[in-house]
Amino acid sequence: MPSYIAPAKDMQFLLHDVLKASEADIPGYDELERDFTGAVLDEAGKLASEVLAPLNPVGDKEGCRLENGIVYTPTGFKEAFEQMKEGGWTALDCDPEYGGQGMPYLLGTAVGEVFVSANMAFNMYQGLTHGAYSAIHAHGSDEQKAKYLPKMVSCEWTGTMNLTEPHCGTDLGLMRTKAVPQEDGSFKVSGQKIFISAGDHDMSENVIHLVLAKIPGGPEGIKGVSLFIVPKFLVNDDGSLGARNGVSVGKIEEKMGIHGNSTCVMNYDEATGYLIGTEHKGMRAMFTMMNEARLGVGLQGYAQAEAAYQNAVIYANDRLQGRDVTGAKNPDGPADPLIVHPDIRRNLMDQKSFVEGARAFTFWGASLIDRAHKNGDADAEGLISLMTPVIKGFQTDKGFEMCVNAQQVYGGHGYIEEWGMSQFARDARIAMIYEGANGVQALDLVGRKLGQDGGKHVMAFFDMVKTFCKDNAGDEAFDRDFIEPLKKASKDLQAAGMYFMQNGMKNPNHALAGSYDFMHMFGHVCLGYMWARMGLAAKEALANGASDVDFYETKLATGRYYMSRQLPATGMHLARIESGADPVMALEAANF
Amino acid sequence: MPSYIAPAKDMQFLLHDVLKASEADIPGYDELERDFTGAVLDEAGKLASEVLAPLNPVGDKEGCRLENGIVYTPTGFKEAFEQMKEGGWTALDCDPEYGGQGMPYLLGTAVGEVFVSANMAFNMYQGLTHGAYSAIHAHGSDEQKAKYLPKMVSCEWTGTMNLTEPHCGTDLGLMRTKAVPQEDGSFKVSGQKIFISAGDHDMSENVIHLVLAKIPGGPEGIKGVSLFIVPKFLVNDDGSLGARNGVSVGKIEEKMGIHGNSTCVMNYDEATGYLIGTEHKGMRAMFTMMNEARLGVGLQGYAQAEAAYQNAVIYANDRLQGRDVTGAKNPDGPADPLIVHPDIRRNLMDQKSFVEGARAFTFWGASLIDRAHKNGDADAEGLISLMTPVIKGFQTDKGFEMCVNAQQVYGGHGYIEEWGMSQFARDARIAMIYEGANGVQALDLVGRKLGQDGGKHVMAFFDMVKTFCKDNAGDEAFDRDFIEPLKKASKDLQAAGMYFMQNGMKNPNHALAGSYDFMHMFGHVCLGYMWARMGLAAKEALANGASDVDFYETKLATGRYYMSRQLPATGMHLARIESGADPVMALEAANF
């Protein structure tokens, strides 16, 4: 069975050596002292290692089941969820007005990674609740907030997001679910929603569904979509539970992975719903929480890779097979451990350098979200908005790839479910799809985000990288290993942007055909930038006489690996992009 | 439920326009006339579409089960296996002396692809039998051949290959299974073997296990391994079945995919075995059939991608979502089909150009095997020996990646088992692992094959590419689209080879750390070469006034896509390789 230990030291390095969180001018960040975050991560790590990780294969094997309209979660999930609630983990970064602890989103992100690595399917019950909480918090009325949020903060009630219907996913304008206004101001919601994560289950008293639906007579398409609260049990004015609402589980989907999460078909049959915010402005309400939700999915990508990586390292050290070609490393044993072999190391270093880079990128993104929300900083908002599709698309693609790589270290045993490596790959696979499939992320990046506010944010990003390179030049080794590769990659990315500008005007397909490559390129440059920042922090720590020389030297070595072995991918992506739309669009649909 | 139609037209193009099989100076190839191969592929296609493909999801869902020592295959498998046998499909390229039809291996490969695409897990029962047949055919005594082969050719008896043990996979020198000589010349075989595909089942009267084991007192390690025939039921001299042998199924493994195949733990308890060939020369017997077996696994990689691609195309044409940014393509419908979107096309073109390139590479490889075996051509033997790890490693990596891409076209539905796209990815995953994990293929390529016979074969490959480029230069468009990109990629590959030569002497890790990238680079160059050959054939067909202009234009367009969008990967791999072993080997094992 796979094990998991929270990478608290790596996280502390990011929070304090790289991001210098407690010194940041963001409200609440002064609380993020090293000892405090260390204690929080240790506690989260204990719960993750001792309770959540052991349940991960259980959830995979048992899955959820629907019996007589009731959804049962796998053995042990209910008890673990109680521990999660009792520990106050669900309230960490929520608003104190509704019972939250008011911690920065950055800390919530670090803790979130720990839980997601340990048990992704389990953590989604809380994750979806957090998403629904955020939507009500941002757009609900004071009455709605008072009524629903405290119980959602504590996860006594959980939440869901209902967007997809059988015939429409990305193109929500095709939606058929309707909400008919009633005299008392409520609505009757009818329709079918699919792929509803944590749609129903036996771990909470109530489920607060957020449902997108159309009010008859409203505008056509996406502009006529509104957002509703549809509770499983209606809530009386005194907060007690009332009648069962007209919402039921049609079935639980059989999926490739995340079996521990109940992905439901939800049927709404004149269910009572309450409008959130303004009529027909449902998509806007959704979009305000999308950066956060997509960052959370991007986190799932590398968090699964982290868990898979940890186990691959253990296996590579334990499994004796073959000999080091440069001389036996375990001469008294029947063979050397796998980890002596260069190709096993190539594989592990790919994983390690990706995971640590992605974690840095995600933490940085979370701090930008805090800055945007808590300081009302429009530049931070613009920058994270630009990078969100990259965090989501690039990190989930790579995260899945790295889970597959980790599985490969196990040879045949990686294919056997008993060893658990298949589950990491199968679970990670969904992150490339939900919250907007990665092709849609690429479209969002190139079609909307690049040009947002006149291209201001992407220019700001390039300036930031340029300034970093300028400010930190002069150390020969650091220049060679970090600055120069970053400059080269950044130049490739700018060349791709230039290609889009020059050719996308004539034919938007010249940009769109390269969007996926651009997203990956951008991801590499961001991770390269983060590795340069981490390398710098490590270099400084060593120069300042840090005692843990091994730790910082390892950071530098891992960074050098990323810069020399991963970053050159930008050249390939640029070549693909610069070949334009013609090779991509050449065929008639009938000739595929 | 996914569907499948044999790509007979594409195969005919390869056999006749590109490889010009019936004109080749290989014994038996004169039979491969266009009409004949067309008829064979049509018949195989019928069986595949109507019988095997519909059973593919059944096998996945039901799996195999072990009850009271008997292994039951999924519903319908037994009947389908009967049809396979009755149609003579199992005997296609087997020796007529033992009831085979004596067709070229090339034709067997084409038919094999059709069956593997339709139902990979099912086809393995026959595939493993063919492998065991080849080993006995090459190394067994006349008596053994007469006794076992006729029934194996007809698949009345099936075969298995028993190599792996719980503690050893790649490093078979660690093997513990022992074979104790008996007075009558037989051996008593005892030990446990794992991951035995088609290890036991209810579709044949007998199972002929080929088992690697050590004869006590023999040389240490891999040099003391011998190969044995261990039948499930002993075979009397008159060919009738005798007593049950001491071999039993310990359990059926629970795997990520290929559930329709019974992957067994096999326990040998003083089972009667018969030595094949010479004592302690078991590995040699294995190796002679390895090119063929590995080519078969490389075929599985792209064959699964072909099946997944076909379904992705259907879905992309059916599913209405969003609008073409350059103007609605389905203005009367609620939305345009997915296939209008550039990123969907990018994805589908990646799949299409890979699959067709890989098929060409594999068919060419099969023709080299025929030439090696039937003409005793040592150069062909050397060339296919060099390319075998590339066919296996590159094609299974890419094949899996393309199955994942095809799944992605389906959005959320791709993650739901009901749609069948998950199965293609899960099934394809094993091909990266078995018959030597892909890292081992890379090691074989760089550590053994490159330098084989003084590097003669890799030089011959480069010469072949160079000659092709020289002979076919002069047409401006063809030069630009095919010749120049191929030259560039081939130059990258040569530079990588040069890097290994210059640095691998000092430290073999400089070569081994780049072995995986080299394998992928080599794969790209081979597919680029095949696309250039296909492009040339298409160009010539058009110049000769071929009526099916669309077909040949599509070939050229797909080739141009590969050359401009896939081939540039060689530059990235070269950069990785040229960064050497240091970044890869930098960390102490404890610092991972």
Side-chain angles (χ1 to χ4, degrees):
Chain A
M1 198 173 71
S3 62
Y4 171 73
I5 293 170
K9 199 166 174 179
D10 284 329
M11 290 180 166
Q12 290 282 73
F13 168 70
L14 281 178
L15 293 174
H16 305 291
D17 292 346
V18 182
L19 298 173
K20 301 188 195 303
S22 64
E23 299 165 25
D25 59 335
I26 302 173
Y29 269 48
D30 54 344
E31 291 197 57
L32 299 181
E33 294 282 355
R34 195 180 280 267
D35 287 352
F36 172 70
T37 58
V40 170
L41 293 173
D42 280 351
E43 281 306 309
K46 250 183 243 171
L47 183 63
S49 298
E50 293 167 15
V51 180
L52 306 189
L55 286 177
N56 197 39
V58 176
D60 186 55
K61 212 176 159 78
E62 287 189 19
C64 298
R65 62 182 209 281
L66 175 65
E67 272 177 28
N68 303 320
I70 297 169
V71 174
Y72 297 91
T73 51
T75 309
F77 269 42
K78 210 169 168 170
E79 294 73 13
F81 204 64
E82 285 306 314
Q83 283 187 258
M84 198 95 165
K85 292 193 273 187
E86 280 163 22
W89 294 109
T90 66
L92 199 67
D93 58 1
C94 295
D95 188 346
E97 196 175 335
Y98 304 103
Q101 298 180 32
M103 286 291 136
Y105 180 63
L106 173 61
L107 187 63
T109 299
V111 168
E113 183 199 312
V114 172
F115 294 154
V116 171
S117 286
N119 195 328
M120 175 167 155
F122 175 84
N123 200 61
M124 287 172 66
Y125 293 98
Q126 165 189 354
L128 270 296
T129 307
H130 197 283
Y133 154 88
S134 295
I136 297 174
H137 192 264
H139 298 280
S141 66
D142 288 342
E143 198 194 330
Q144 286 171 338
K145 291 194 224 183
K147 196 168 197 170
Y148 298 106
L149 293 189
K151 297 275 193 181
M152 292 174 78
V153 166
S154 65
C155 270
E156 284 165 277
W157 301 348
T158 61
T160 71
M161 308 296 308
N162 291 240
L163 288 78
T164 306
E165 300 182 8
H167 64 291
C168 71
T170 302
D171 191 355
L172 289 170
L174 303 175
M175 185 176 291
R176 290 180 193 144
T177 297
K178 61 172 199 265
V180 181
Q182 305 297 302
E183 287 189 357
D184 65 354
S186 72
F187 291 77
K188 291 285 182 208
V189 178
S190 299
Q192 188 177 65
K193 295 287 183 178
I194 63 170
F195 305 156
I196 308 309
S197 299
D200 199 12
H201 56 87
D202 55 355
M203 303 196 297
S204 70
E205 297 164 8
N206 203 2
V207 181
I208 311 303
H209 301 288
L210 296 198
V211 183
L212 285 178
K214 285 183 171 178
I215 301 169
E220 287 286 300
I222 198 74
K223 289 178 179 160
V225 168
S226 306
L227 182 62
F228 299 89
I229 295 174
V230 184
K232 176 178 170 182
F233 290 99
L234 297 174
V235 179
N236 299 320
D237 287 340
D238 65 355
S240 64
L241 295 186
R244 187 73 151 84
N245 205 352
V247 46
S248 61
V249 178
K251 68 166 175 174
I252 299 179
E253 300 283 9
E254 289 198 24
K255 310 182 297 291
M256 186 178 184
I258 52 165
H259 295 152
N261 197 272
S262 55
T263 307
C264 298
V265 172
M266 300 300 303
N267 293 322
Y268 294 89
D269 185 13
E270 301 209 328
T272 299
Y274 308 98
L275 182 70
I276 300 185
T278 319
E279 279 188 11
H280 314 316
K281 302 291 182 196
M283 289 312 293
R284 202 164 61 183
M286 278 302 193
F287 270 114
T288 55
M289 44 169 290
M290 218 159 257
N291 286 345
E292 217 178 287
R294 289 180 170 178
L295 185 132
V297 175
L299 179 151
Q300 290 181 331
Y302 82 80
Q304 286 304 290
E306 164 72 32
Y309 166 75
Q310 287 191 13
N311 288 281
V313 169
I314 293 170
Y315 192 80
N317 275 301
D318 284 353
R319 176 84 169 176
L320 304 179
Q321 207 82 178
R323 288 289 184 196
D324 187 332
V325 287
T326 64
K329 287 286 181 296
N330 176 33
D332 298 334
D336 288 343
L338 283 181
I339 203 161
V340 306
H341 301 299
D343 188 61
I344 294 286
R345 282 177 173 255
R346 186 265 319 157
N347 183 341
L348 292 174
M349 289 301 290
D350 275 348
Q351 296 173 52
K352 180 177 175 65
S353 64
F354 162 72
V355 167
E356 293 181 19
R359 175 180 297 123
F361 188 22
T362 305
F363 280 23
W364 179 42
S367 75
L368 288 171
I369 288 180
D370 277 327
R371 188 177 289 282
H373 291 181
K374 291 177 195 280
N375 301 39
D377 183 330
D379 289 340
E381 175 77 42
L383 190 56
I384 187 60
S385 180
L386 168 72
M387 295 191 311
T388 292
V390 182
I391 292 176
K392 197 282 183 182
F394 176 72
Q395 291 189 179
T396 58
D397 276 2
K398 283 282 163 186
F400 171 71
E401 188 186 325
M402 295 305 141
C403 289
V404 171
N405 281 6
Q407 185 185 20
Q408 190 73 11
V409 172
Y410 281 66
H413 300 279
Y415 201 66
I416 305 297
E417 292 295 352
E418 194 184 337
W419 288 82
M421 299 308 285
S422 160
Q423 187 187 352
F424 292 129
R426 288 185 292 98
D427 286 2
R429 181 69 184 86
I430 189 57
M432 296 159 69
I433 299 174
Y434 62 19
E435 272 302 313
N438 285 355
V440 175
Q441 303 296 330
L443 179 65
D444 179 44
L445 175 64
V446 171
R448 293 180 357 113
K449 300 297 177 62
L450 271 190
Q452 210 166 36
D453 301 325
K456 181 181 163 190
H457 307 299
V458 71
M459 294 313 295
F461 173 79
F462 285 129
D463 277 347
M464 191 182 297
V465 172
K466 199 171 153 189
T467 305
F468 177 91
C469 290
K470 216 173 108 189
D471 289 353
N472 298 290
D475 171 334
E476 195 185 333
F478 193 73
D479 284 355
R480 181 196 61 219
D481 295 340
F482 290 89
I483 301 285
E484 290 308 322
L486 177 58
K487 273 189 186 165
K488 161 78 175 67
S490 176
K491 208 177 126 196
D492 284 345
L493 186 64
Q494 291 182 60
M498 194 57 74
Y499 179 87
F500 290 162
M501 290 235 292
Q502 288 170 344
N503 298 279
M505 299 292 188
K506 284 177 281 183
N507 177 358
N509 287 345
H510 282 305
L512 298 181
S515 58
Y516 212 86
D517 286 285
F518 189 79
M519 178 174 79
H520 272 257
M521 247 181 138
F522 208 150
H524 278 298
V525 173
C526 289
L527 263 59
Y529 173 53
M530 297 317 296
W531 267 118
R533 289 179 62 177
M534 288 192 279
L536 182 68
K539 188 170 78 106
E540 285 173 353
L542 288 168
N544 293 335
S547 60
D548 199 349
V549 174
D550 244 23
F551 177 82
Y552 292 108
E553 289 286 8
T554 298
K555 280 283 170 235
L556 280 163
T558 310
R560 280 192 292 265
Y561 184 91
Y562 194 87
M563 304 313 267
S564 63
R565 289 247 164 187
Q566 291 296 334
L567 215 46
T570 57
M572 177 188 69
H573 291 300
L574 179 59
R576 284 172 62 100
I577 287 169
E578 290 184 339
S579 73
D582 296 345
V584 177
M585 306 303 288
L587 301 192
E588 292 298 315
N591 291 331
F592 272 87
Chain B
M1 196 175 73
S3 61
Y4 171 73
I5 293 170
K9 200 166 172 178
D10 284 329
M11 291 181 165
Q12 290 281 72
F13 168 70
L14 282 178
L15 294 174
H16 305 293
D17 292 347
V18 181
L19 297 174
K20 301 188 195 304
S22 63
E23 300 165 25
D25 60 335
I26 303 173
Y29 270 47
D30 54 343
E31 291 195 57
L32 299 180
E33 294 283 354
R34 194 179 280 268
D35 287 352
F36 172 69
T37 59
V40 170
L41 293 173
D42 281 352
E43 281 305 309
K46 252 184 242 172
L47 182 64
S49 299
E50 293 168 13
V51 180
L52 306 189
L55 285 178
N56 197 39
V58 176
D60 187 53
K61 212 176 159 72
E62 286 188 20
C64 298
R65 63 183 209 282
L66 175 65
E67 272 176 31
N68 302 321
I70 298 171
V71 175
Y72 296 92
T73 52
T75 308
F77 269 43
K78 208 168 169 171
E79 295 74 13
F81 203 65
E82 285 305 313
Q83 282 186 257
M84 198 94 166
K85 292 193 273 188
E86 280 163 20
W89 295 109
T90 65
L92 200 66
D93 58 0
C94 295
D95 188 344
E97 194 173 337
Y98 304 105
Q101 297 178 33
M103 287 289 136
Y105 179 64
L106 174 59
L107 186 64
T109 299
V111 168
E113 181 199 314
V114 172
F115 294 153
V116 170
S117 287
N119 196 326
M120 177 167 153
F122 175 84
N123 201 61
M124 288 171 66
Y125 293 98
Q126 165 189 353
L128 269 297
T129 307
H130 197 285
Y133 155 88
S134 296
I136 298 175
H137 191 266
H139 299 280
S141 66
D142 289 342
E143 196 192 332
Q144 286 170 338
K145 291 194 224 184
K147 196 168 198 171
Y148 298 105
L149 293 190
K151 296 276 192 180
M152 292 175 78
V153 166
S154 66
C155 270
E156 284 164 277
W157 301 349
T158 62
T160 71
M161 308 296 307
N162 291 241
L163 288 78
T164 307
E165 299 182 8
H167 64 290
C168 71
T170 301
D171 191 353
L172 289 171
L174 303 175
M175 185 173 292
R176 290 179 195 147
T177 298
K178 62 172 199 263
V180 180
Q182 306 297 303
E183 287 191 358
D184 64 356
S186 72
F187 291 78
K188 290 286 181 206
V189 178
S190 299
Q192 188 178 64
K193 294 288 184 177
I194 64 171
F195 306 157
I196 309 308
S197 299
D200 199 11
H201 56 87
D202 56 354
M203 305 196 297
S204 69
E205 295 164 8
N206 202 2
V207 181
I208 310 303
H209 301 288
L210 296 200
V211 183
L212 286 179
K214 285 185 172 177
I215 300 171
E220 286 288 300
I222 199 71
K223 290 180 179 158
V225 168
S226 307
L227 182 62
F228 299 88
I229 295 173
V230 184
K232 176 178 173 185
F233 290 99
L234 297 174
V235 179
N236 299 320
D237 287 340
D238 65 357
S240 64
L241 296 185
R244 186 74 151 83
N245 204 352
V247 46
S248 60
V249 178
K251 70 167 174 171
I252 299 179
E253 300 283 9
E254 289 197 25
K255 311 182 296 290
M256 185 179 185
I258 51 164
H259 295 152
N261 197 273
S262 54
T263 307
C264 299
V265 172
M266 301 300 303
N267 294 323
Y268 294 88
D269 186 12
E270 302 210 328
T272 299
Y274 308 98
L275 182 70
I276 300 184
T278 317
E279 277 188 13
H280 314 314
K281 301 292 181 193
M283 290 312 292
R284 201 165 63 184
M286 278 303 193
F287 271 115
T288 54
M289 45 169 292
M290 216 159 256
N291 285 345
E292 216 177 287
R294 290 183 169 177
L295 184 133
V297 175
L299 179 150
Q300 290 181 330
Y302 82 81
Q304 287 303 288
E306 163 73 32
Y309 165 75
Q310 288 191 13
N311 288 281
V313 169
I314 293 169
Y315 192 81
N317 275 300
D318 284 353
R319 175 83 169 176
L320 304 180
Q321 208 81 177
R323 288 291 184 194
D324 187 333
V325 288
T326 64
K329 287 287 181 297
N330 176 34
D332 299 335
D336 288 342
L338 283 181
I339 202 162
V340 305
H341 301 299
D343 189 61
I344 295 286
R345 280 176 176 257
R346 186 266 320 157
N347 183 341
L348 292 174
M349 289 301 290
D350 275 347
Q351 295 173 52
K352 181 177 173 66
S353 64
F354 162 72
V355 167
E356 294 181 18
R359 175 180 298 124
F361 188 23
T362 306
F363 280 23
W364 179 44
S367 75
L368 287 172
I369 289 180
D370 277 327
R371 189 177 289 280
H373 291 182
K374 291 176 195 283
N375 300 38
D377 183 330
D379 288 340
E381 176 75 41
L383 190 56
I384 187 60
S385 179
L386 168 72
M387 296 192 310
T388 292
V390 182
I391 292 177
K392 197 283 184 182
F394 175 71
Q395 292 190 177
T396 58
D397 275 2
K398 283 280 163 187
F400 171 70
E401 187 186 325
M402 294 305 142
C403 289
V404 171
N405 281 4
Q407 185 184 20
Q408 190 73 10
V409 172
Y410 280 67
H413 299 281
Y415 201 65
I416 306 297
E417 292 294 353
E418 194 184 337
W419 288 82
M421 299 308 285
S422 160
Q423 187 189 352
F424 292 128
R426 289 185 290 99
D427 285 2
R429 181 69 183 90
I430 188 58
M432 295 158 69
I433 299 174
Y434 61 18
E435 273 301 314
N438 286 355
V440 175
Q441 302 297 329
L443 179 65
D444 178 45
L445 175 65
V446 170
R448 295 181 355 115
K449 300 297 177 64
L450 272 189
Q452 210 166 37
D453 300 326
K456 180 180 165 191
H457 307 298
V458 71
M459 295 313 296
F461 174 80
F462 285 130
D463 277 347
M464 191 183 296
V465 171
K466 197 171 155 189
T467 305
F468 177 91
C469 291
K470 215 172 110 189
D471 290 352
N472 297 290
D475 171 334
E476 196 186 328
F478 192 74
D479 283 354
R480 181 196 61 220
D481 296 340
F482 290 90
I483 301 286
E484 291 307 321
L486 176 58
K487 273 187 187 166
K488 161 79 174 67
S490 176
K491 209 177 127 196
D492 284 345
L493 186 64
Q494 290 181 62
M498 194 58 73
Y499 179 86
F500 290 161
M501 289 233 293
Q502 288 169 347
N503 297 279
M505 299 290 187
K506 284 178 281 183
N507 177 358
N509 287 345
H510 282 305
L512 298 181
S515 59
Y516 212 86
D517 285 283
F518 190 80
M519 179 176 76
H520 272 255
M521 248 182 139
F522 209 150
H524 278 298
V525 173
C526 289
L527 263 59
Y529 173 53
M530 296 318 296
W531 267 119
R533 288 180 63 178
M534 288 192 278
L536 182 69
K539 189 169 78 106
E540 285 173 352
L542 288 168
N544 293 335
S547 59
D548 199 347
V549 174
D550 246 22
F551 177 82
Y552 292 108
E553 289 288 8
T554 298
K555 279 283 168 233
L556 280 163
T558 309
R560 280 192 292 266
Y561 183 92
Y562 194 88
M563 304 312 269
S564 63
R565 290 245 165 190
Q566 292 295 334
L567 215 46
T570 56
M572 176 189 70
H573 291 300
L574 179 60
R576 285 172 61 99
I577 287 168
E578 289 184 340
S579 74
D582 296 345
V584 177
M585 306 302 290
L587 302 191
E588 292 298 316
N591 291 332
F592 272 88

